[in-house]
Amino acid sequence: MRYLVTGGAGFIGSNFVRFLFNKYGSDAQVVNLDKLTYAGIRENLAEYEGQPNYRFLQGDIADPAAVEEAYRGVDGSGVDVVVNFAAETHVDRSLMEAGTFIQTDVHGVLVLLEEARKHAPSLRRFIQISTDEVYGSIDSGSFSETDPLNPRNPYSASKAGGDRMAYAYAQTYGLPVIVTRASNNFGPWQYPEKLIPLFVTNAMDDQSLPLYGDGRNVRDWLYVEDHCAAVDFLIEHGTNSETYNIGGGNELENREITHKILELTGKPESLIKPVGDRQGHDRRYSLDTTKLEKMGFKNERDFDSALEKTVRWYKENEAWWRAIKERSAEYKAFYEKQYAGR
Ligand code: NAD
Ligand code: DAU
C-alpha cells in the first residue's frame, strides 16, 4: 500500500509510520509531509531515511504545491491512502494564538481534500484524524459518533472545522473519507508540553508538576500503539463517510495520573504544585466506542503497563526531550506566567 502520512514528524504520526513499517515492511511505501513546526522532529524517524520506500518532504498542508508533490508518492506513482495527522495540537497554545490553528487544522485540511479530488478515482481512503475534543465536555455518560459537536476552545473548534470539512467533501464529491475521533494519547515521542511527558520529565528533574485547577478533570487515556492499530484497522475495514470514536477505556482524574507518575519515577508528592485553571478547561472527555468494538477491534495494552513502558522510554531517551525543553524557553515563559497569575 502507498501511504501519504501528514504530520509524520510529530508524536502520533511518527508512531504510525513506524507501526506501518513494522507491520507491512517493504509492502508499505510512505511519504511523510511535515512542515516541521516546533512540534515536528524529522529525526523521530531517522532510521528510515534513505530507505527506498520512505520519503520525507518538508512542506505545509496548506500549500497546494507541496501537497500536489506529496500526492505523487515515493516514486511518482501516486498514493492509495492519505492519513492526515498534521495539525496544531496543543490547547494551551491555542489560547495564546489561534490563527495558526485555523490555518492548519481547517484550511490545511481543505487543501488536502482539494488535491484528493484530483486523485479520486484511484484514492482508496482519506483518513481525517479528528479528536474527542470536538464533542466538548460531558459530566456523565459518553459521547457517541452521532452526538452533536460542541467544541469549547480554539483548538477543538478548529479541529471540528477540519472534521466537518472532510465529511462535507465525502458527501459533496464522493471522496472516500473516514473521520476518526480519538481520546488522549500517550506513549514515546510525545512532545513534553502535554501532561504525561511534561510531568514525567519534570519529575525526573525534581521540578514541580503544575496541576491545573482542582486536578479533577478527567481524560480517557489511549496508548499510542493502540491508536495506530485502530487507524490501520479502519483503513482496511471502515466504511467511507463514517466517523469512528477511538478510546482507551482508561478514564482518570488528572490528580490520579499525577500520583501514578510520581510512583513510577520514585518522586515525592511535594512536587505537585496546584496552579490556576486553564481558561475554558473541559471537565471530562468520554467516548462510547461500541461502534468500533462491534467491528471486532480491541485495544491490546492495559493502562498501567503502557504507562510504565512510557515512563521507561523517557528515562532511556533523555537526550531527546532535553534538547526539546532547551529550545522551548519562550513557550515555557508564557505558560508559567499564564498559570502563576490565576
Ligand atoms: P504533534 O503536535 O505531536 O504533531 C503534529 C505534527 O504536525 C508535527 O510534526 C508538526 O510539524 C506537523 N504540522 C503542524 N502543522 C503543519 C502543517 N501546516 N503542515 C504540515 N505539517 C504540520 O501532534 P499529535 O499529538 O501527534 O497529534 C496528531 C494528530 O492527532 C492531530 O491531528 C491531533 O489533533 C490528533 N489527535 C491527537 C491526540 C493526542 O492526544 N495527542 C488525540 C486525538 C487526536
Ligand atoms: O482529547 C484529545 C486531545 O488531548 C487532543 O486532541 C489534543 O491534541 C491533546 O493535546 C490533548 O488535549 P488535552 O488538553 O486534554 O491534553 P493536555 O496534555 O494538554 O492536558 C491533559 C489534562 O491535563 C488537561 O485536563 C489539562 C491538564 N494539565 C495539562 C498540562 C499541560 C495540567 O493539569 N497541567 C499541565 O501542565
Side-chain angles (χ1 to χ4, degrees), residues 1-3 16 19-20 23-24 27-28 80-83 123-127 129 176-180 227-240 242 244 246 292 295-297:
M1 193 91 80
R2 299 166 304 170
Y3 300 85
F16 184 69
F19 176 93
L20 291 176
K23 181 164 178 185
Y24 299 111
D27 288 342
D80 307 300
V81 174
V82 176
V83 188
L123 195 65
R124 279 192 54 191
R125 297 280 196 210
F126 184 110
I127 311 284
I129 304 291
V177 168
I178 285 176
V179 175
T180 64
H227 185 190
C228 294
V231 172
D232 175 59
F233 177 87
L234 288 169
I235 290 171
E236 203 52 46
H237 303 290
T239 301
N240 292 338
E242 291 290 319
Y244 298 91
I246 304 174
L292 185 58
M295 291 166 68
F297 182 81

Coordinates of all heavy atoms in Angstrom, one line a residue, residues 1-3 16 19-20 23-24 27-28 80-83 123-127 129 176-180 227-240 242 244 246 292 295-297:
M1 N 0.8 -1.2 0.0 CA 0.0 0.0 0.0 C 0.9 1.3 0.0 O 1.9 1.3 0.7 CB -0.9 0.0 1.2 CG -2.0 1.0 1.2 SD -3.5 0.3 0.5 CE -4.2 -0.6 1.9
R2 N 0.4 2.3 -0.7 CA 1.2 3.5 -0.8 C 0.5 4.6 0.1 O -0.7 4.9 -0.2 CB 1.3 4.0 -2.3 CG 2.0 3.0 -3.2 CD 1.8 3.3 -4.6 NE 0.3 3.4 -5.0 CZ -0.1 3.8 -6.1 NH1 0.7 4.2 -7.1 NH2 -1.4 3.8 -6.4
Y3 N 1.2 5.1 1.1 CA 0.5 6.0 2.0 C 1.1 7.4 1.9 O 2.3 7.6 1.8 CB 0.8 5.6 3.5 CG 0.3 4.2 3.8 CD1 1.1 3.1 3.6 CD2 -0.9 4.0 4.5 CE1 0.6 1.8 3.9 CE2 -1.4 2.8 4.9 CZ -0.6 1.6 4.6 OH -1.1 0.4 4.9
F16 N 2.8 6.2 13.9 CA 2.0 5.5 12.9 C 2.9 5.0 11.8 O 2.8 3.9 11.3 CB 0.9 6.4 12.4 CG 0.0 5.7 11.4 CD1 -0.9 4.7 11.8 CD2 0.0 6.1 10.0 CE1 -1.7 4.1 10.9 CE2 -0.8 5.4 9.1 CZ -1.7 4.4 9.5
F19 N 4.7 2.0 13.0 CA 3.7 0.9 13.0 C 3.6 0.3 11.6 O 3.6 -0.9 11.5 CB 2.4 1.5 13.5 CG 1.3 0.4 13.5 CD1 1.0 -0.3 14.7 CD2 0.5 0.2 12.4 CE1 0.0 -1.3 14.7 CE2 -0.5 -0.8 12.4 CZ -0.8 -1.5 13.5
L20 N 3.4 1.1 10.6 CA 3.3 0.6 9.2 C 4.5 -0.2 8.8 O 4.3 -1.3 8.2 CB 3.0 1.8 8.2 CG 1.7 2.5 8.4 CD1 1.7 3.7 7.4 CD2 0.5 1.6 8.1
K23 N 4.7 -3.5 10.6 CA 3.6 -4.5 10.2 C 3.8 -4.9 8.8 O 3.6 -6.1 8.5 CB 2.3 -3.8 10.5 CG 1.1 -4.8 10.1 CD -0.2 -4.4 10.7 CE -1.3 -5.4 10.3 NZ -2.6 -5.0 10.7
Y24 N 4.0 -4.0 7.9 CA 4.0 -4.3 6.5 C 5.4 -4.4 5.8 O 5.4 -4.8 4.6 CB 3.1 -3.3 5.7 CG 1.7 -3.3 6.2 CD1 1.1 -2.2 6.9 CD2 0.8 -4.4 6.0 CE1 -0.2 -2.2 7.4 CE2 -0.5 -4.4 6.5 CZ -1.0 -3.3 7.2 OH -2.2 -3.4 7.7
D27 N 6.3 -3.7 1.9 CA 5.0 -3.6 1.2 C 4.4 -2.2 1.5 O 3.4 -1.8 0.8 CB 4.0 -4.7 1.7 CG 4.4 -6.0 1.1 OD1 5.2 -6.1 0.2 OD2 3.9 -7.0 1.7
A28 N 4.9 -1.5 2.5 CA 4.4 -0.1 2.7 C 5.3 0.9 2.1 O 6.5 0.8 2.4 CB 4.2 0.1 4.2
D80 N -2.3 5.5 -2.4 CA -3.6 4.8 -2.2 C -4.4 5.4 -1.0 O -5.6 5.4 -1.1 CB -3.4 3.3 -2.0 CG -2.5 2.7 -3.0 OD1 -2.9 2.7 -4.2 OD2 -1.5 2.2 -2.7
V81 N -3.7 5.8 0.0 CA -4.3 6.2 1.3 C -3.6 7.5 1.8 O -2.4 7.6 1.8 CB -4.1 5.1 2.3 CG1 -4.6 5.5 3.7 CG2 -4.8 3.8 1.9
V82 N -4.5 8.4 2.2 CA -3.9 9.6 2.9 C -4.4 9.5 4.4 O -5.6 9.3 4.6 CB -4.5 10.9 2.3 CG1 -4.1 12.1 3.0 CG2 -4.1 11.0 0.8
V83 N -3.4 9.8 5.3 CA -3.8 9.9 6.7 C -3.3 11.2 7.2 O -2.1 11.5 7.3 CB -3.2 8.7 7.5 CG1 -3.7 8.7 8.9 CG2 -3.4 7.4 6.9
L123 N -7.8 6.9 -5.4 CA -7.6 7.0 -4.0 C -8.6 6.1 -3.2 O -9.8 6.1 -3.4 CB -7.9 8.5 -3.5 CG -7.4 8.9 -2.1 CD1 -5.8 8.8 -2.1 CD2 -7.8 10.3 -1.8
R124 N -8.0 5.3 -2.3 CA -8.8 4.3 -1.6 C -9.4 4.9 -0.3 O -10.5 4.6 0.0 CB -8.0 3.0 -1.2 CG -7.8 2.1 -2.4 CD -7.3 0.7 -1.9 NE -8.0 0.2 -0.8 CZ -7.6 -0.8 0.0 NH1 -6.5 -1.4 -0.2 NH2 -8.4 -1.3 1.0
R125 N -8.6 5.6 0.4 CA -9.1 6.2 1.7 C -8.4 7.6 1.9 O -7.3 7.8 1.6 CB -8.6 5.3 2.9 CG -9.2 3.9 2.9 CD -10.6 3.9 3.4 NE -11.0 2.6 3.8 CZ -12.2 2.1 3.8 NH1 -13.2 2.9 3.4 NH2 -12.4 0.9 4.1
F126 N -9.2 8.4 2.6 CA -8.7 9.7 3.1 C -9.1 9.7 4.6 O -10.3 9.8 4.9 CB -9.3 10.9 2.4 CG -8.7 12.2 2.8 CD1 -7.9 12.9 2.0 CD2 -9.0 12.7 4.1 CE1 -7.4 14.2 2.4 CE2 -8.5 13.9 4.5 CZ -7.7 14.7 3.7
I127 N -8.2 9.5 5.5 CA -8.5 9.4 6.9 C -8.2 10.8 7.5 O -7.1 11.2 7.6 CB -7.6 8.3 7.7 CG1 -7.6 7.0 6.9 CG2 -8.1 8.2 9.1 CD1 -8.9 6.2 7.1
I129 N -7.8 12.6 10.9 CA -7.6 12.4 12.3 C -8.2 13.5 13.1 O -7.6 14.6 13.1 CB -6.1 12.2 12.6 CG1 -5.5 11.0 11.8 CG2 -6.0 11.9 14.1 CD1 -6.0 9.6 12.1
P176 N -13.5 9.2 -0.6 CA -13.5 8.1 0.4 C -13.0 8.4 1.8 O -12.0 7.9 2.2 CB -12.6 7.0 -0.3 CG -11.6 7.9 -1.1 CD -12.4 9.1 -1.5
V177 N -13.8 9.3 2.4 CA -13.3 9.9 3.7 C -13.8 9.1 4.9 O -15.0 8.7 4.9 CB -13.8 11.4 3.8 CG1 -13.6 11.9 5.3 CG2 -13.1 12.3 2.8
I178 N -12.9 8.9 5.8 CA -13.3 8.4 7.2 C -12.8 9.4 8.2 O -11.6 9.9 8.1 CB -12.7 7.0 7.4 CG1 -13.4 5.9 6.6 CG2 -12.6 6.6 8.9 CD1 -12.8 4.5 6.7
V179 N -13.6 9.7 9.2 CA -13.2 10.6 10.2 C -13.0 9.8 11.5 O -13.9 9.0 11.9 CB -14.2 11.7 10.5 CG1 -13.8 12.6 11.7 CG2 -14.4 12.6 9.2
T180 N -11.9 10.0 12.2 CA -11.7 9.3 13.5 C -11.6 10.3 14.6 O -11.0 11.4 14.4 CB -10.4 8.4 13.5 OG1 -9.3 9.3 13.3 CG2 -10.4 7.4 12.4
H227 N -3.9 3.3 19.2 CA -4.5 4.3 18.3 C -4.0 3.9 16.9 O -4.9 3.9 16.0 CB -4.1 5.7 18.7 CG -4.7 6.8 17.9 ND1 -4.4 8.1 17.9 CD2 -5.7 6.7 17.0 CE1 -5.1 8.8 17.1 NE2 -5.9 8.0 16.5
C228 N -2.7 3.7 16.7 CA -2.2 3.4 15.4 C -2.9 2.1 14.8 O -3.2 2.1 13.6 CB -0.7 3.2 15.4 SG 0.2 4.7 15.8
A229 N -3.0 1.1 15.7 CA -3.6 -0.1 15.2 C -5.1 0.1 14.8 O -5.6 -0.5 13.8 CB -3.6 -1.2 16.3
A230 N -5.8 1.0 15.5 CA -7.2 1.3 15.2 C -7.3 2.0 13.8 O -8.2 1.7 13.0 CB -7.8 2.1 16.3
V231 N -6.4 2.9 13.6 CA -6.4 3.6 12.3 C -6.1 2.6 11.2 O -6.8 2.6 10.1 CB -5.4 4.8 12.3 CG1 -5.3 5.4 10.9 CG2 -5.8 5.9 13.3
D232 N -5.1 1.8 11.4 CA -4.8 0.8 10.4 C -6.0 -0.2 10.1 O -6.4 -0.5 9.0 CB -3.6 0.0 10.9 CG -3.2 -1.2 10.0 OD1 -2.9 -1.0 8.8 OD2 -3.2 -2.4 10.5
F233 N -6.7 -0.5 11.2 CA -7.9 -1.4 11.1 C -9.0 -0.7 10.3 O -9.6 -1.3 9.4 CB -8.4 -1.7 12.5 CG -9.6 -2.5 12.6 CD1 -9.6 -3.9 12.6 CD2 -10.9 -1.9 12.7 CE1 -10.7 -4.7 12.7 CE2 -12.0 -2.7 12.8 CZ -12.0 -4.1 12.8
L234 N -9.2 0.6 10.5 CA -10.2 1.3 9.8 C -9.9 1.5 8.3 O -10.8 1.6 7.5 CB -10.5 2.6 10.5 CG -11.2 2.5 11.8 CD1 -11.3 3.8 12.6 CD2 -12.7 2.0 11.6
I235 N -8.6 1.6 8.0 CA -8.2 1.7 6.6 C -8.7 0.5 5.9 O -9.2 0.5 4.8 CB -6.7 1.9 6.5 CG1 -6.3 3.3 6.9 CG2 -6.2 1.7 5.0 CD1 -4.8 3.6 7.1
E236 N -8.5 -0.6 6.6 CA -8.9 -1.9 6.0 C -10.4 -2.2 6.1 O -11.1 -2.6 5.1 CB -8.2 -3.0 6.7 CG -8.0 -4.3 6.0 CD -7.4 -4.1 4.6 OE1 -6.4 -3.4 4.4 OE2 -8.0 -4.7 3.6
H237 N -11.0 -1.9 7.2 CA -12.4 -2.4 7.5 C -13.4 -1.3 7.6 O -14.6 -1.6 7.8 CB -12.4 -3.3 8.8 CG -11.5 -4.4 8.7 ND1 -11.7 -5.5 7.9 CD2 -10.3 -4.7 9.3 CE1 -10.7 -6.4 8.0 NE2 -9.9 -5.9 8.9
G238 N -13.0 0.0 7.6 CA -14.0 1.1 7.8 C -14.9 1.3 6.6 O -14.7 0.7 5.5
T239 N -15.9 2.1 6.8 CA -16.9 2.4 5.7 C -16.7 3.9 5.4 O -16.7 4.7 6.3 CB -18.3 2.1 6.1 OG1 -18.4 0.7 6.5 CG2 -19.3 2.4 5.0
N240 N -16.6 4.2 4.1 CA -16.5 5.6 3.7 C -17.6 6.4 4.2 O -18.8 5.9 4.3 CB -16.4 5.7 2.2 CG -15.1 5.1 1.7 OD1 -14.1 5.0 2.4 ND2 -15.0 4.8 0.4
E242 N -18.1 7.4 7.1 CA -18.4 7.1 8.6 C -17.4 7.8 9.5 O -16.3 8.0 9.1 CB -18.5 5.6 8.8 CG -19.6 4.9 8.2 CD -21.0 5.2 8.8 OE1 -21.1 5.4 10.0 OE2 -21.9 5.4 8.0
Y244 N -15.7 7.4 13.4 CA -15.4 6.3 14.4 C -14.7 6.9 15.6 O -13.7 7.6 15.5 CB -14.5 5.2 13.9 CG -15.1 4.5 12.7 CD1 -14.9 4.9 11.4 CD2 -16.0 3.4 12.9 CE1 -15.5 4.3 10.3 CE2 -16.5 2.7 11.8 CZ -16.3 3.2 10.5 OH -16.9 2.5 9.4
I246 N -12.4 6.5 18.9 CA -11.3 5.5 19.3 C -10.9 5.9 20.7 O -10.3 7.0 20.9 CB -10.1 5.7 18.3 CG1 -10.5 5.4 16.9 CG2 -9.0 4.7 18.8 CD1 -9.3 5.7 15.9
L292 N -16.8 0.8 17.0 CA -15.5 0.2 16.6 C -15.4 -1.2 17.2 O -14.9 -2.2 16.5 CB -14.3 1.1 17.1 CG -12.9 0.7 16.7 CD1 -12.8 0.6 15.1 CD2 -11.9 1.7 17.2
M295 N -17.1 -3.9 15.4 CA -16.5 -4.4 14.1 C -15.4 -5.4 14.4 O -14.8 -5.9 13.5 CB -15.9 -3.1 13.4 CG -16.9 -2.2 12.9 SD -16.2 -0.6 12.4 CE -15.1 -1.1 11.0
G296 N -15.1 -5.6 15.7 CA -14.0 -6.6 16.1 C -12.7 -6.0 16.5 O -11.8 -6.7 16.7
F297 N -12.7 -4.7 16.7 CA -11.4 -4.1 17.1 C -11.3 -4.0 18.7 O -12.2 -3.7 19.3 CB -11.2 -2.7 16.6 CG -9.8 -2.1 17.0 CD1 -8.7 -2.5 16.3 CD2 -9.7 -1.3 18.1 CE1 -7.5 -2.0 16.7 CE2 -8.5 -0.8 18.5 CZ -7.4 -1.1 17.8

